[in-house]
C-alpha cells in the first residue's frame, strides 16, 4: 500500500465517523460557522419519514452566483441528506453571516454537474487530489458519478 492509498484510507474512515463528521454542527449553531471558511456550509433538511430537522455540514463545490451554492453528495444517492432533500427540497442554509436562510435544493443535471466538477478540479487541485481519493475509497465509486445539488436561497442578498 502506498502512502497515498494509506492517506485515502484514513480520510475515508474519518468521513464515515459520525462523531467527527457532526463536530462542526455546534459551531454553526453558535454562529461560528465562518471559522470553517467560505467553502463549507450547514444544511438543515427534514427527515423524509420523521419530518424531524436534520443537519449536515458540507463542502461547497461551486458558488455560481449570489445566493447559489452547489454541493456534491459524497456518499452518492444513498446519503441520508440527499435522500431527504429529494423528498422535501425546502431547506435552510447556514453560511458566512447567513443563519437559517430559507432555500430550495434541486438536483443538478449530469451535464451541469460534470462542468462544475471540472471547474472544481481546476480551482482547487490539491483539495481535489485528496478529497477525490478519500471519497472514492469510502464509496467505491468514481467521484464524477456522484450526484450534485444546487441550493438557491430565497433572498440572495
Amino acid at each position: 500500500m502506498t502512502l497515498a492509498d494509506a492517506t485515502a484510507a484514513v480520510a475515508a474512515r474519518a468521513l464515515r465517523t459520525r462523531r467527527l463528521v457532526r463536530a462542526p454542527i455546534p459551531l454553526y449553531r453558535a454562529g461560528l460557522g465562518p471559522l470553517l471558511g467560505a467553502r463549507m456550509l450547514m444544511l438543515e433538511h427534514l427527515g423524509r419519514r420523521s419530518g424531524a430537522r436534520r443537519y449536515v455540514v458540507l463542502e461547497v463545490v461551486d458558488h455560481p452566483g449570489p445566493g447559489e451554492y452547489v454541493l456534491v453528495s459524497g456518499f452518492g444517492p444513498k446519503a441520508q441528506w440527499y435522500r431527504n432533500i429529494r423528498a422535501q427540497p425546502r431547506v435552510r442554509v447556514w453560511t458566512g453571516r447567513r443563519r437559517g436562510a430559507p432555500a430550495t435544493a434541486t438536483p443538478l443535471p449530469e451535464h451541469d454537474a460534470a462542468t462544475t466538477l471540472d471547474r472544481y478540479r481546476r480551482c482547487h487541485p490539491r483539495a481535489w487530489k485528496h478529497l477525490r481519493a478519500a471519497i472514492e475509497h469510502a464509496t467505491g465509486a468514481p467521484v464524477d458519478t456522484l450526484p450534485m445539488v444546487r441550493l438557491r436561497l430565497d433572498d440572495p442578498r
Side-chain angles (χ1 to χ4, degrees):
M1 179 181 280
T2 68
L3 179 58
D5 291 338
T7 302
V10 169
R13 192 171 22 249
L15 287 173
R16 289 189 301 255
T17 305
R18 183 176 173 84
R19 181 178 282 176
L20 185 62
V21 172
R22 296 187 56 76
I25 293 172
L27 291 174
Y28 276 93
R29 287 186 174 157
L32 301 173
L35 294 176
L36 298 175
R39 287 184 25 211
M40 303 297 285
L41 63 71
M42 183 170 76
L43 179 69
E44 176 189 296
H45 50 98
L46 297 178
R48 64 193 173 282
R49 292 189 189 134
S50 68
R53 291 179 184 183
R54 306 288 185 203
Y55 300 87
V56 62
V57 175
L58 301 162
E59 181 181 5
V60 174
V61 177
D62 196 14
H63 185 50
E68 285 190 46
Y69 303 89
V70 177
L71 313 169
V72 65
S73 179
F75 286 100
K78 292 184 179 182
Q80 294 301 316
W81 74 267
Y82 183 77
R83 294 171 70 191
N84 288 342
I85 63 101
R86 293 293 308 256
Q88 174 50 265
R90 295 296 300 155
V91 298
R92 291 178 8 145
V93 176
W94 278 253
T95 183
R97 292 174 297 176
R98 298 174 199 261
R99 295 183 71 183
T104 302
T106 54
L108 216 55
E110 274 186 45
H111 174 72
D112 292 346
T115 301
T116 298
L117 195 56
D118 188 50
R119 187 170 33 255
Y120 184 87
R121 284 181 189 129
R122 287 191 319 271
C123 293
H124 308 286
R126 289 181 61 206
W128 166 253
K129 177 183 172 187
H130 299 294
L131 190 61
R132 190 196 101 230
I135 289 174
E136 288 181 352
H137 192 278
T139 64
V143 172
D144 56 1
T145 64
L146 298 175
M148 290 192 185
V149 173
R150 173 178 281 122
L151 300 177
R152 283 200 171 106
L153 300 182
D154 292 356
D155 182 3
R157 289 180 275 141

